[in-house]
Amino acid sequence: MNCILPGLNIKVLSKAIHALAKVGDDLYLEAHEDRLTLITLNLRKTICVRYHLLDSFFSNYEVNKNELNEQCSAITCKIHMKILLPLFKGAHLEKKLEFIKLEYESDSDVIIFKMKFKCDDILMTHRLRLMETESLSIEFKPDAGSNNILGSSSFFNQLLTMFSNTDDEITFEISKEKVVVRNYIVGATVTANSVRSQVNLNRSEFSKFEINKETAINFCLRPLRTAIQFAEGFNLNIGINFEVGGKPLTLIMKNPTFEVNFIVATLNPYSDLQSSMATSSIPTKITQLAHENINLSLEDRQALNEEWDDWEMDTEENNPKRAKLDMNIKKDKNRKGKGKCKKFNLPSDPVPMDVDGEDMDVLPPSPESPRTKKAKLVFGRCFEPTFTETSFGEVLAPNSDSE
């Protein structure tokens, strides 16, 4: 493999490697005949990220076709992420570097990165040690799902601002007319310090909204945050392709020269609660949870029974307890002025009296501390109101000046 990356595309490669490092610790490189693919997996194998850099992404892309066959359709190698990250540290690398050249042979145990700097024609060569070669077989197709949603990166970023940064998971309840986004699952236990948020999105707010099957999907928020951060840097749209809860979900970002896929494992949060609800719609499932013998919290029942679209402040009609309290306050106000109040003429300087009418003993002040006594002894002259010359003693000689 021999490819040259121009300076204009170095920013894309740098952002891609930093995004991959947030997901996994190892990086897989697959050099196909028409593209270079960067792949990483998390430890639990629930998130897979793939960056497809097409041959048009490089100014020069060469792969030895003799090493490609039916059994091995790509030249593969594996490298640890911590070894690769220091090469792409720093801001504005695209302004400092003229190009980056990658060299790798299938029988070699190193991969070579040559960086050509614009100033002083400096060529820096990095030989990175490779790990034991492994090949990945990911047969999942990113566009295999029957449901598709498309929106801009800024739209999804505004959606995430509605939720806390401490939220780990998110739930999409998808119908043919809208999407309900929650940071909690109806019926699940909720911690005391958690903030429950819910956002209703109509289909008109998306650039593309094709739903063939209603479902509910719960997945991790970390890959979504990483995808939005990468897409915002290049003003890319984010497409969400999925089938049902329990099957993988794909976040897709496309550019004429590269394509990004975030494959995320999902689950249906309501499938385990009642299996007979598989044929009913998502709103019907949630309504059934509220009326059947399932351990729902008081907050869940209030959230399900609440009309979020026509929500108003508490009034006497929808909050009888609040109305009763306001009524009692009004009655107390009306009572003022009707009753007779006794007046007490207190003396200007009241004297404390005991039960028998005698003067109460006044408590003596607290004694001074030894430190206060010592300070008055040393600085006693400072506490005197006046100062006289006689304190110096007898004057032995007058002043020599005539004045």
Side-chain angles (χ1 to χ4, degrees):
M1 178 186 68
N2 187 356
C3 55
I4 298 176
L5 185 70
L8 296 176
N9 294 337
I10 292 177
K11 182 179 179 180
V12 180
L13 181 62
S14 177
K15 295 285 186 181
I17 292 176
H18 282 85
L20 291 165
K22 293 180 180 179
V23 178
D25 296 332
D26 300 330
L27 179 64
Y28 298 83
L29 282 80
E30 296 182 355
H32 298 267
E33 187 175 353
D34 58 345
R35 68 184 184 278
L36 177 64
T37 304
L38 310 178
I39 307 174
T40 189
L41 298 168
N42 64 338
L43 294 177
R44 296 183 178 182
K45 303 296 188 293
T46 57
I47 303 173
C48 176
V49 183
R50 296 189 299 188
Y51 278 78
H52 299 288
L53 308 179
L54 305 180
D55 53 358
S56 58
F57 184 81
F58 303 91
S59 59
N60 182 28
Y61 185 79
E62 297 178 359
V63 176
N64 191 357
K65 297 182 179 179
N66 297 329
E67 299 179 1
L68 304 179
N69 49 42
E70 296 180 355
Q71 298 179 355
C72 183
S73 60
I75 301 175
T76 61
C77 63
K78 181 181 177 182
I79 186 173
H80 202 279
M81 199 72 71
K82 290 183 179 180
I83 301 176
L84 186 60
L85 278 176
L87 275 64
F88 295 92
K89 281 188 176 180
H92 308 293
L93 288 178
E94 67 279 3
K95 297 181 180 179
K96 302 176 183 178
L97 299 176
E98 186 175 346
F99 66 84
I100 295 179
K101 185 177 181 181
L102 278 73
E103 296 180 359
Y104 172 69
E105 297 181 0
S106 57
D107 298 334
S108 177
D109 58 350
V110 296
I111 184 171
I112 301 174
F113 282 79
K114 295 183 178 180
M115 296 183 172
K116 175 65 167 58
F117 288 84
K118 294 181 180 180
C119 60
D120 299 332
D121 293 335
I122 298 175
L123 182 62
M124 186 175 295
T125 303
H126 301 271
R127 296 178 178 270
L128 306 182
R129 185 70 59 181
L130 297 175
M131 303 175 67
E132 186 178 357
T133 305
E134 294 180 5
S135 60
L136 298 176
S137 58
I138 303 174
E139 300 179 355
F140 178 78
K141 295 182 180 180
D143 54 352
S146 58
N147 299 325
N148 292 279
I149 296 175
L150 181 66
S152 62
S153 57
S154 59
F155 169 76
F156 285 102
N157 188 29
Q158 292 178 0
L159 176 62
L160 285 187
T161 57
M162 304 294 179
F163 302 94
S164 174
N165 293 330
T166 58
D167 293 334
D168 296 331
E169 296 180 352
I170 196 169
T171 301
F172 282 15
E173 294 175 0
I174 301 149
S175 62
K176 294 186 177 180
E177 296 298 330
K178 67 176 182 178
V179 177
V180 180
V181 185
R182 292 192 176 106
N183 63 345
Y184 65 96
I185 299 174
V186 178
T189 57
V190 182
T191 58
N193 297 329
S194 62
V195 178
R196 293 151 53 98
S197 304
Q198 174 178 320
V199 182
N200 296 339
L201 303 174
N202 296 326
R203 61 178 304 164
S204 59
E205 301 184 44
F206 296 91
S207 304
K208 183 180 179 181
F209 194 85
E210 296 180 357
I211 303 299
N212 297 320
K213 188 175 182 180
E214 296 181 352
T215 184
I217 293 180
N218 178 269
F219 60 95
C220 181
L221 258 178
R222 185 175 182 180
L224 181 59
R225 290 193 179 101
T226 305
I228 292 174
Q229 185 178 4
F230 177 82
E232 275 198 315
F234 305 101
N235 196 20
L236 300 175
N237 294 329
I238 300 177
I240 303 178
N241 183 276
F242 56 94
E243 184 71 25
V244 293
K247 293 186 178 181
L249 173 145
T250 309
L251 305 174
I252 303 174
M253 291 162 281
K254 291 185 178 181
N255 184 273
T257 59
F258 64 89
E259 181 178 347
V260 185
N261 297 329
F262 281 72
I263 304 173
V264 185
T266 67
L267 59 89
N268 189 339
Y270 308 119
S271 61
D272 296 335
L273 296 179
Q274 187 173 355
S275 59
S276 61
M277 296 189 299
T279 57
S280 60
S281 61
I282 293 302
T284 306
K285 292 178 182 179
I286 301 174
T287 306
Q288 290 177 359
L289 290 176
H291 297 288
E292 295 184 4
N293 295 326
I294 297 176
N295 295 326
L296 292 181
S297 62
L298 179 60
E299 292 81 0
D300 285 334
R301 296 182 184 276
Q302 292 177 352
L304 294 174
N305 297 328
E306 185 73 27
E307 295 293 338
W308 294 91
D309 297 334
D310 301 330
W311 187 85
E312 297 179 355
M313 296 295 292
D314 292 339
T315 59
E316 295 183 1
E317 297 178 359
N318 55 22
N319 197 339
K321 295 182 179 179
R322 177 67 178 274
K324 185 177 180 180
L325 179 60
D326 295 340
M327 189 181 300
N328 294 335
I329 295 174
K330 291 180 181 178
K331 289 181 179 180
D332 293 339
K333 290 182 178 178
N334 295 331
R335 289 176 183 175
K336 292 183 179 180
K338 294 183 179 180
K340 295 182 179 180
C341 298
K342 296 182 179 180
K343 296 183 179 180
F344 297 91
N345 296 324
L346 297 177
S348 58
D349 296 326
V351 179
M353 307 289 290
D354 60 0
V355 179
D356 298 332
E358 299 179 357
D359 296 346
M360 296 179 63
D361 295 335
V362 180
L363 295 177
S366 59
E368 296 183 357
S369 62
R371 180 177 296 180
T372 306
K373 293 181 179 180
K374 186 176 182 180
K376 287 186 177 182
L377 180 63
V378 176
F379 301 100
R381 307 286 300 251
C382 300
F383 292 95
E384 294 180 0
T386 58
F387 176 77
T388 59
E389 294 183 356
T390 58
S391 60
F392 281 113
E394 184 181 358
V395 180
L396 299 177
N399 295 331
S400 60
D401 295 338
S402 60
E403 297 179 358

